[in-house]
Amino acid sequence: MTKKIVFLSSHSARYEPVIKKKANTAVSSGIETAVIYWDRKDEDVDEFYEDTIRYIPLRTGKTSFGRGIYNIHKRINISIKMFLGILKLKPHVIHASDLDTVIYAIVYKFLFN
């Protein structure tokens, strides 16, 4: 049985070198790796692979940072999509890259241990 790890990010992980480095380390250890991220710039249409890392962008249209209550509907939409993405992949390990995504990892841990 192949171990699976999912990296979560609330910003575009496509350009994030820290996430790429950690994901490449997981792949070199023989772990199936996926990155789920919020594509705030609305650039990535579909999921794609770089090397053997699966990138899954979540889209809600262009979203700017720091808009507070005006982005609440997009945040709720992304929350649902991110949790459904985690459920679909059924990972053994979840790595939350920022504070926004740690909630999904904790909920998944308590539901599925």
Side-chain angles (χ1 to χ4, degrees), residues 83-95:
F83 195 73
L84 290 176
I86 295 168
L87 290 176
K88 180 181 172 186
L89 294 174
K90 297 180 182 154
H92 296 93
V93 177
I94 299 176
H95 181 278

Side-chain angles (χ1 to χ4, degrees), residues 6-7 18-19 25 27-29 35-36 43 45 51 66 73-74 80-81 84 87 93-94 97-98 102 105 109 112:
V6 171
F7 292 86
V18 174
I19 293 174
T25 302
V27 167
S28 66
S29 299
V35 179
I36 301 175
E43 295 174 333
V45 177
D51 300 322
H73 65 288
K74 291 182 179 183
I80 293 167
K81 287 181 178 182
L84 290 176
L87 290 176
V93 177
I94 299 176
S97 301
D98 36 45
V102 77
K109 176 197 179 281
F112 302 102

Side-chain angles (χ1 to χ4, degrees), residues 45-86:
V45 177
D46 258 341
E47 65 180 61
F48 60 94
Y49 285 84
E50 271 186 17
D51 300 322
T52 57
I53 303 167
R54 181 179 178 186
Y55 287 88
I56 304 169
L58 304 177
R59 303 173 64 211
T60 59
K62 288 189 179 183
T63 307
S64 55
F65 289 95
R67 295 235 4 197
I69 194 76
Y70 299 106
N71 279 340
I72 193 72
H73 65 288
K74 291 182 179 183
R75 173 145 325 261
I76 292 169
N77 190 359
I78 285 298
S79 297
I80 293 167
K81 287 181 178 182
M82 192 165 287
F83 195 73
L84 290 176
I86 295 168

